[in-house]
Amino acid sequence: MPTRSFTDLYVEVQQFYARQMRQLDERKLEAYAETFTDDAEFGHTPGREPARTRAGIVADLREFHKKFENDPVQRRHWFNMIDLEPQDDGSMRSTCYALVVTTRTAGAPTIAPSCVVNDVIVRGEDGNLLLKSRRVDHDQPF
Amino acid sequence: MPTRSFTDLYVEVQQFYARQMRQLDERKLEAYAETFTDDAEFGHTPGREPARTRAGIVADLREFHKKFENDPVQRRHWFNMIDLEPQDDGSMRSTCYALVVTTRTAGAPTIAPSCVVNDVIVRGEDGNLLLKSRRVDHDQPF
Amino acid sequence: MPTRSFTDLYVEVQQFYARQMRQLDERKLEAYAETFTDDAEFGHTPGREPARTRAGIVADLREFHKKFENDPVQRRHWFNMIDLEPQDDGSMRSTCYALVVTTRTAGAPTIAPSCVVNDVIVRGEDGNLLLKSRRVDHDQPF
């Protein structure tokens, strides 16, 4: 496997986030879960037990999305301000800002919450990036 | 022409969007239109016929901006979460999220609409990127 | 010092902004000031005299942040749409859009003001990027 420069890795992470989060926003929950390692941990909401394993992530997101069943929304996750720290073991720590843009059939989009995403990213056997863990810290309450 | 890496292309697209959209936000409509190929198609608003050719894009945007004549605003187009797919023919498909930030003389900026931008990007004879087509999907109504 | 490609520089600036602005958002004012050259000029608010030198920047920010003493907030500075222009002397001009996301203990975050950031970036003796000057233009009033 070729050694990648910091520049290559940084762009790869931006591309990874773009596709990954659009999959979530399009409710492709299985595709989203496949961007995690099979033993991954994903904590997206404070006070809620983190989901574990791909199957666990899908089940958790199905449960989470039930609240939109009678409240049709289009959500868009914006990630930006990526601070990437490649580690000696080949993994990467990525810390970035996130905003969730939620559009309903009427009114202006709501833009909330403001979050900080803490990811550990590894490279899978096929060479693609995978999340080993994701912890989302919410700015509210603080 | 040198072969460009995915990393190079991704950054080139980010730089292209930054300058292109600032031109639009500064109402440099001719400069904005020149970022399209001469036979380009640009559909920015659902239910409105796409503009075609550079001259058509300028005319369409002049018409569109009339609504701000008695409503002075500073708009800022934010593009992010770029999912870039280089194609075999040398063109690129780019799908990204967009938000329009509109500042008026009083009050907080409005941030709407939330959109998905679907671009086909080609390289012009001078080596610069050009839009072959842009279709903007709005999240509202959905 | 190796010659860096435009791609490398663009990513380096993105990484620089991400870490720099998180330091400001975490109120690490000294660390933020150290991302400027010692003779830097920093104008963040129209009508307010720009701060000069690192010590001056820290003092100015301490003063500025006093307004939050009885108004606990978590701010997040979002920079995006970076238009980067490397100069012949090795410095770079960077123009980007900025939004400040402010979360309080209750209610949705406020997203204001919308700004344009005008940076002159140089490379310090240790090889890291530093701001020679930053001028923030606010969209409101315009």
Side-chain angles (χ1 to χ4, degrees), chain C residues 4-128:
Chain C
R4 291 167 176 85
S5 67
F6 179 80
T7 301
D8 285 336
L9 293 172
Y10 197 93
V11 164
E12 196 178 2
V13 168
Q14 290 184 84
Q15 167 65 43
F16 172 79
Y17 283 157
R19 189 162 304 171
Q20 180 198 41
M21 298 315 293
R22 203 168 82 243
Q23 287 171 329
L24 180 61
D25 292 335
E26 294 174 350
R27 309 274 178 105
K28 296 173 179 167
L29 304 185
E30 286 79 5
Y32 177 77
E34 279 169 23
T35 65
F36 288 78
T37 63
D38 196 44
D39 63 345
E41 184 165 306
F42 173 38
H44 55 82
T45 301
R48 185 186 179 96
E49 186 71 11
R52 291 184 183 87
T53 78
R54 287 178 180 164
I57 289 170
V58 171
D60 178 72
L61 289 174
R62 282 226 182 89
E63 177 69 25
F64 183 80
H65 280 84
K66 277 186 184 167
K67 67 178 177 178
F68 299 119
E69 274 177 8
N70 297 305
D71 175 24
V73 296
Q74 175 64 60
R75 299 202 305 160
R76 302 285 176 200
H77 286 78
W78 282 59
F79 282 22
N80 199 10
M81 304 299 276
I82 300 166
D83 183 357
L84 190 70
E85 297 172 283
Q87 306 294 305
D88 288 341
D89 64 1
S91 70
M92 296 182 273
R93 292 187 174 274
S94 171
T95 309
C96 68
Y97 288 175
L99 283 172
V100 186
V101 177
T102 302
T103 300
R104 290 182 168 78
T105 50
T110 60
I111 302 181
S114 169
C115 305
V116 177
V117 177
N118 306 275
D119 283 344
V120 176
I121 306 173
V122 297
R123 194 171 295 281
E125 287 180 13
D126 62 358
N128 289 327

Side-chain angles (χ1 to χ4, degrees), chain A residues 47-68:
Chain A
R48 185 186 178 95
E49 185 69 12
R52 291 184 183 86
T53 79
R54 287 179 180 162
I57 289 170
V58 171
D60 178 72
L61 289 174
R62 283 226 182 88
E63 177 68 24
F64 182 80
H65 280 84
K66 277 186 183 167
K67 67 178 177 179
F68 299 119

Side-chain angles (χ1 to χ4, degrees), chain B residues 96-140:
Chain B
C96 68
Y97 288 175
L99 283 172
V100 187
V101 177
T102 303
T103 300
R104 289 181 168 79
T105 50
T110 59
I111 302 181
S114 168
C115 304
V116 178
V117 177
N118 306 275
D119 283 343
V120 177
I121 306 172
V122 297
R123 194 171 295 280
E125 287 180 13
D126 62 358
N128 290 327
L129 298 184
L130 294 172
L131 284 187
K132 173 80 176 159
S133 69
R134 167 167 287 174
R135 191 190 77 241
V136 183
D137 294 329
H138 291 226
D139 281 342
Q140 186 182 58

Side-chain angles (χ1 to χ4, degrees), chain B residues 1-4 123-124 127:
Chain B
M1 195 170 71
T3 303
R4 290 170 175 85
R123 194 171 295 280

